[in-house]
Amino acid sequence: DAGITQSPRHKVTETGTPVTLRCHQTENHRYMYWYRQDPGHGLRLIHYSYGVKDTDKGEVSDGYSVSRSKTEDFLLTLESATSSQTSVYFCAIRELRDTGELFFGEGSRLTVL
Amino acid sequence: RKEVEQDPGPFNVPEGATVAFNCTYSNSASQSFFWYRQDCRKEPKLLMSVYSSGNEDGRFTAQLNRASQYISLLIRDSKLSDSATYLCVVTYNTDKLIFGTGTRLQVFP
């Protein structure tokens, strides 16, 4: 299995509080992604990174920011959590631009009350 | 219209049955195609890539129809362990992978 871990795995928080999810990889892969998964919507891309300090927005980036100061870590921040951000968040890594194989972390289940 | 569309199912089939899923995509510039499998409350994992000429991996066959903009997955001799959600994935800018919402398969004894 690819060396990718997410933390925390479960979190319950209140509306308006900041939340940071961490994705850590030991594979030295260039590409890292944050997806959210909701019933009826499937996996939707929030942000992705193609290198240290190189990030770009996905289709549902509003309300989220990311940072990648080291190859191995990709942080997803909700500056002020809302109930609509209750979801399962998956981090994924990819070695090469031309390969479709994403390796996913186990997911972080976030509940915003 | 969603970029990638799948029938959500569920498809309920008996063991040993053959079942097929389709996935349509809207962007004709799409470059690469894949099927992922996701078990309940688990992360998705790559099942197989889909090549223009079609490809087979054991009981699984994937096909691509660029003219009609769809890909398919055929599972023969279904096993109980095939029960999962199957996600169609398309890329048109190889930095991004776009996922369908998934088709749920339930194989019963």
Side-chain angles (χ1 to χ4, degrees), chain B residues 23 25 35 37 41 86 99-100 106-107:
Chain B
C23 165
Y25 59 94
W35 285 101
R37 171 192 168 127
R41 301 181 78 85
Y86 291 84
F99 284 76
Q106 184 66 49
V107 181

Side-chain angles (χ1 to χ4, degrees), chain A residues 15-113:
Chain A
T15 297
T17 60
V19 176
T20 295
L21 305 180
R22 179 182 184 237
C23 178
H24 178 78
Q25 61 147 330
T26 58
E27 305 296 324
N28 201 37
H29 285 356
R30 178 181 175 189
Y31 294 90
M32 299 186 76
Y33 303 79
W34 275 108
Y35 286 88
R36 61 177 288 176
Q37 188 172 36
D38 306 286
H41 291 280
L43 281 157
R44 293 180 291 174
L45 182 64
I46 305 171
H47 282 280
Y48 67 101
S49 170
Y50 45 95
V52 173
K53 297 193 189 325
D54 290 324
T55 64
D56 205 349
K57 296 179 180 180
E59 63 179 305
V60 290
S61 59
D62 287 348
Y64 302 94
S65 62
V66 291
S67 66
R68 190 167 178 202
S69 58
K70 299 184 290 185
T71 298
E72 57 266 34
D73 289 325
F74 192 33
L75 303 180
L76 177 70
T77 297
L78 292 66
E79 300 291 347
S80 178
T82 67
S83 58
S84 64
Q85 294 176 310
T86 293
S87 186
V88 179
Y89 292 85
F90 285 101
C91 176
I93 62 175
R94 182 161 66 140
E95 181 179 11
L96 300 173
R97 189 170 190 259
D98 295 331
T99 176
E101 183 157 19
L102 288 177
F103 296 96
F104 284 85
E106 294 180 303
S108 295
R109 187 171 296 272
L110 175 67
T111 301
V112 184
L113 301 175

